Amino acid sequence: MCYECGPATRRSFARFLAAGAGLTVLAACTPAAPSPAAVTASAGPTAETATVGQSPEAQSPTPSPSATLARQFSLDDPASQWVIVNKHRPLAPADYAPADLVRPAVAISAAGEAALLNSTTAAAAEALFAAAARDGVAMVLASGYRSYGTQVTTYNGYVAARGQADADTASARPGHSEHQTGWAFDIGDGGGACSFEPCFADQPAATWAKANAYRYGFVVRYPWMLHPITGYYYEPWHLRFVGVEAATDMAKRGIGTLEEYFGLEAAPAYP
Ligand SMILES: [Zn+2]
């Protein structure tokens, strides 16, 4: 999905086979996806912190939010803050574009359309970034909106160069990117040393976001070790707005993915 997230020149992708599953996944926004070695090396503290509240049972389908939170928004409408986009659930229409894209008043390292978010997400991002700043945490908007047209260009470039199978490990197919909705963005810390890298997970911006983003309506969309459900490796930088109520409910109940929260099937790969 990342390559909805940034310029191709920043990216080098690796394909991974999930152990035992023959499952090919990729980091949704990772220019350099975590290698198996890197995953192993960081499995200790990162896994421990990244899976707070996520019991093994949490990786199985869990009850829908109806138990504690009414189904308030569509899961299918791209303009809905609860829209679920993954490898099984393309956007409809595929070339959807938000009608209310704006540039949030936050520190931005992205250029062009990538500096934009839908208006609801932009307002929430402003609150999120301000709260981080109050805690002394530097946070920048590294990549926001990515249009269908941009995704077509990116994806087709990969197909031409490497074939579709490899392209699917390196770039979201057009119409399958959460960034296209305006509800998601990637954060950095302005330093850049770990931007879009596994080590970003241990940077203050990421640890702060993981602990506090729900207060402002965001979830870390691709948590550690839940790639068999989300289809993407851990991306501590990719935040998705779902609203304070749902994000808080997920945090309290220790539910790591939107798929589990809304009772949807896992989407490890394209059908
Ligand atoms: Zn992203």
Side-chain angles (χ1 to χ4, degrees):
M1 182 170 291
C2 222
Y3 269 93
E4 324 95 22
C5 303
T9 51
R10 286 191 293 146
R11 300 168 219 140
S12 67
F13 288 91
R15 177 194 294 180
F16 299 100
L17 249 45
L23 170 64
T24 302
V25 294
L26 76 143
C29 295
T30 325
S35 69
V39 169
T40 300
S42 61
T46 306
E48 186 173 339
T49 54
T51 55
V52 167
Q54 293 164 1
S55 66
E57 290 75 15
Q59 296 190 29
S60 301
T62 52
S64 75
S66 58
T68 58
L69 188 62
R71 183 69 61 92
Q72 301 174 59
F73 305 102
S74 169
L75 304 184
D76 304 316
D77 180 355
S80 161
Q81 68 190 44
W82 284 2
V83 66
I84 306 301
V85 185
N86 60 34
K87 291 179 177 178
H88 289 188
R89 295 176 56 88
L91 290 169
D95 61 351
Y96 170 77
D100 60 341
L101 289 170
V102 296
R103 183 182 175 99
V106 300
I108 300 177
S109 60
E113 68 181 22
L116 306 177
L117 301 169
N118 72 39
S119 60
T120 302
T121 304
E126 290 169 357
L128 176 83
F129 281 49
R134 287 195 295 272
D135 286 348
V137 174
M139 190 176 288
V140 303
L141 171 58
S143 186
Y145 173 64
R146 193 169 178 92
S147 69
Y148 178 82
T150 300
Q151 192 65 23
V152 168
T153 301
T154 300
Y155 181 76
N156 286 350
Y158 275 100
V159 172
R162 295 155 52 165
Q164 185 170 23
D166 266 10
D168 282 340
T169 72
S171 171
R173 292 181 185 177
H176 286 80
S177 168
E178 199 169 62
H179 282 265
Q180 193 182 318
T181 68
W183 294 117
F185 58 85
D186 303 318
I187 59 168
D189 59 13
C194 285
S195 293
F196 296 102
E197 301 286 348
C199 60
F200 186 69
D202 299 319
Q203 301 303 306
T207 57
W208 188 94
K210 190 171 68 170
N212 297 287
Y214 75 89
R215 305 175 195 275
Y216 305 91
F218 293 93
V219 298
V220 177
R221 177 71 174 93
Y222 306 112
W224 174 257
M225 292 304 290
L226 296 181
H227 53 277
I229 297 172
T230 66
Y232 296 98
Y233 278 116
Y234 184 30
E235 294 196 359
W237 51 82
H238 182 107
L239 304 183
R240 160 66 195 274
F241 183 82
V242 293
V244 172
E245 192 176 13
T248 301
D249 193 36
M250 286 179 68
K252 285 181 176 177
R253 296 166 64 188
I255 298 174
T257 70
L258 296 180
E259 285 80 7
E260 294 167 287
Y261 186 60
F262 290 113
L264 301 174
E265 65 183 2
Y270 294 108

